[in-house]
Amino acid sequence: MSKSFIAAILQDSLDCTGVVATKTADDLVGAVVAKLKQEGGFTLPSFGTFTAHKTKARKALNPRTGEPVKVKAGKTVRFKAS
């Protein structure tokens, strides 16, 4: 699912312009991201739950050359359908 897909659905269901639908989709995604950063989780009733998780630093292999590469610790988002 992409922002353009969400914008297209909003445009069809609300019968509005593409600019308004794109702005609404951007605001929706921005609100989800802000909530994840602020609280570490976000629930959409009847859809699912998004949670932020930390990943550990690790060693990986470069698939092109096969040499080891260090991957920094980071964050990822997980989704669980309701």
Side-chain angles (χ1 to χ4, degrees):
M1 187 181 300
S2 63
K3 281 190 217 178
S4 60
F5 175 76
I6 295 170
I9 296 297
L10 289 170
Q11 185 176 5
D12 289 343
S13 63
L14 297 175
D15 195 29
C16 62
T17 65
V19 174
V20 172
T22 302
K23 175 71 171 125
T24 304
D26 286 340
D27 291 345
L28 175 67
V29 172
V32 171
V33 170
K35 197 67 151 177
L36 281 170
K37 286 182 179 180
Q38 189 179 49
E39 297 183 12
F42 182 79
T43 300
L44 284 172
S46 301
F47 184 69
T49 303
F50 296 90
T51 54
H53 289 274
K54 294 180 181 179
T55 59
K56 296 180 181 179
R58 65 186 191 281
K59 292 182 182 178
L61 292 177
N62 182 335
R64 185 173 285 180
T65 63
E67 64 185 53
V69 178
K70 292 181 182 177
V71 178
K72 296 179 183 179
K75 293 181 181 178
T76 187
V77 176
R78 294 184 184 169
F79 175 74
K80 183 176 180 182
S82 60

